[in-house]
Every structure is written in structure tokens, then in C-alpha cells.
Amino acid sequence: MAHHDVRTQPRRKRDGSTREAILDIALELFNTQGYDKTSLREIAERLGVTKAALYYHFARKEDILLELHLRLHSLGHDMLERLGTIDNAQHSPDAWLELLDFFIDQVVANQDLFLLHQRNHNAFEELERTEHHDADHDDLQQQLQRFLATPTIPLAQRVRMACSLGAVMGALMGANHVFGDVPATQIADLVRTITHDLLHPNTPQPSLKP
């Protein structure tokens, strides 16, 4: 994916708050020039506030990184909330496909957050040493693992579910590195077809477009 000069990009505010504007600008800078090479002063200058005003919201750069990480984790929580609505009578391929379809939409809509993790791996390794992050990450993983371990779901179906989730994560989360300038929406369409094939192996599907 081609890099763009962050100074030419419009500033985005999710709810009009200074805190969210700080996070949005930090996300752009961390992605384009790296977490280690971005200073709090630079973030404040881009936002047009004093460094003291930035400190009011975030005392350390690590706190900004954690908040951005939690934005991504909130997507996982949204998925798990939907997972909780699938009762035993709905452990069907179609119910799982609907869940994956929601997840695919969220990944495409939040590519910058996934790119942040890919481009700042060392910074996130350091973040993983904090107790808050570890507990949050483990909670997400464990809930998903418990669902896939549900004994009332046939084993072959659970394996297909796990493989389909891996296909989504592997293809979309690393799309920038693996597939270059191919639009994420195009990759997403292919992933939807492939996950359908995994969960409905005996249903004919149209040929994948190159």
C-alpha cells in the first residue's frame, strides 16, 4: 500500500473530543513514521494544542498506544457479544458465517488499527508485559476457545469454524504486507467466498475471481 504524507491527510474526530483527536493523529503518525520515532510534542503540534494539554489526557506515549490497542480489542468484544447470542440451537455454519461476516466488515473498516500492530511489533511486545493488557487479551482468547470447544457442536464443524476464523485473520490482517495494493474490499470478498467453502464444503460456489 502506498504511503501518503500524513500532513496532507484530513484530521478525523470520532466524537469531537480532544482525547479522540489525539488518538486519531497518533495512529496516523505511528503508522507512517513509527511509534519509536513519534514524540508527544509532535502529536501536540499536529493537533494544535500545547504539550501540557496533551498531558491532561495522556501522561505517557505508552498510554496512547494502550488506548489504540484497546480500540482494536473493542472489536473483539463486539464479536464476542454476538457470539454470546448464538445458542445451542444455532450452532450452524450459517450462524458462524454471519458472525465472520460481521468480523470481516470490522477488519476492513479498521485497517489502520491492524496496520498499527503490524508496523510497531516491538512496541506491542513491550506493552504485552503490562498486567492490564495480558488480562484483557487472555479473556478474549479464552472466551473464543471455550466456544470452539463446545461439545454439542460436531467436531468436524468446530474444526471448520476454527479454520475459517484463521482464514479471515491470516488473509485480512496481513493484507498490506502480503497482497500489496489490492483493495481490502476485494480481499474481503474472496475471504467471504473461501469461508463459505470451508463451512459448506458440498455446496457449489462461483469460481473465485483473480
Side-chain angles (χ1 to χ4, degrees), residues 15 17 23 38 65 74 103 107 156 167 169 175 184 196 201 203:
D15 61 5
S17 72
L23 291 170
T38 301
L65 189 67
S74 71
F103 184 51
V107 173
M169 297 177 70
H196 185 284
T203 303

Side-chain angles (χ1 to χ4, degrees), residues 6-142:
V6 294
R7 292 170 179 78
T8 67
Q9 303 302 306
R11 294 176 182 174
R12 304 183 307 275
K13 295 187 179 181
R14 297 189 174 194
D15 61 5
S17 72
T18 299
R19 182 182 181 86
E20 291 300 319
I22 291 169
L23 291 170
D24 288 341
I25 289 174
L27 178 58
E28 292 178 359
L29 291 171
F30 292 166
N31 275 342
T32 54
Q33 61 191 37
Y35 173 79
D36 292 334
K37 295 181 179 178
T38 301
S39 67
L40 289 178
R41 180 181 299 278
E42 187 171 7
I43 295 170
E45 289 175 352
R46 279 289 315 281
L47 185 59
V49 301
T50 65
K51 199 172 178 181
L54 189 147
Y55 279 139
Y56 175 79
H57 297 281
F58 298 101
R60 306 174 306 151
K61 191 169 65 167
E62 290 84 354
D63 297 332
I64 295 176
L65 189 67
L66 177 59
E67 282 298 314
L68 290 172
H69 173 76
L70 293 178
R71 275 187 178 182
L72 190 58
H73 266 225
S74 71
L75 303 180
H77 283 295
D78 290 343
M79 184 177 177
L80 287 170
E81 284 181 10
R82 286 176 173 252
L83 187 65
T85 66
I86 303 176
D87 59 31
N88 287 338
Q90 295 175 309
H91 284 152
S92 67
D94 288 336
W96 185 254
L97 276 171
E98 184 177 344
L99 183 70
L100 287 181
D101 196 54
F102 168 79
F103 184 51
I104 289 169
D105 287 340
Q106 294 303 305
V107 173
V108 172
N110 293 275
Q111 293 178 75
D112 50 357
L113 287 174
F114 292 101
L115 186 62
L116 174 70
H117 281 64
Q118 294 162 15
R119 292 186 174 173
N120 297 276
H121 182 71
N122 290 338
F124 281 103
E125 278 193 341
E126 183 65 28
L127 191 64
E128 286 176 358
R129 297 190 178 95
T130 66
E131 180 178 352
H132 178 102
H133 173 268
D134 284 344
D136 191 44
H137 181 267
D138 290 346
D139 182 59
L140 290 172
Q141 244 185 358
Q142 288 168 8

Side-chain angles (χ1 to χ4, degrees), residues 141-181:
Q141 244 185 358
Q142 288 168 8
Q143 288 185 59
L144 188 57
Q145 288 172 354
R146 279 196 296 270
F147 179 83
L148 291 174
T150 304
T152 55
I153 308 175
L155 177 60
Q157 188 171 318
R158 282 187 278 150
V159 171
R160 289 191 184 100
M161 288 176 172
C163 289
S164 62
L165 180 60
V168 173
M169 297 177 70
L172 282 179
M173 293 184 183
N176 296 99
H177 291 300
V178 178
F179 304 115
D181 293 330

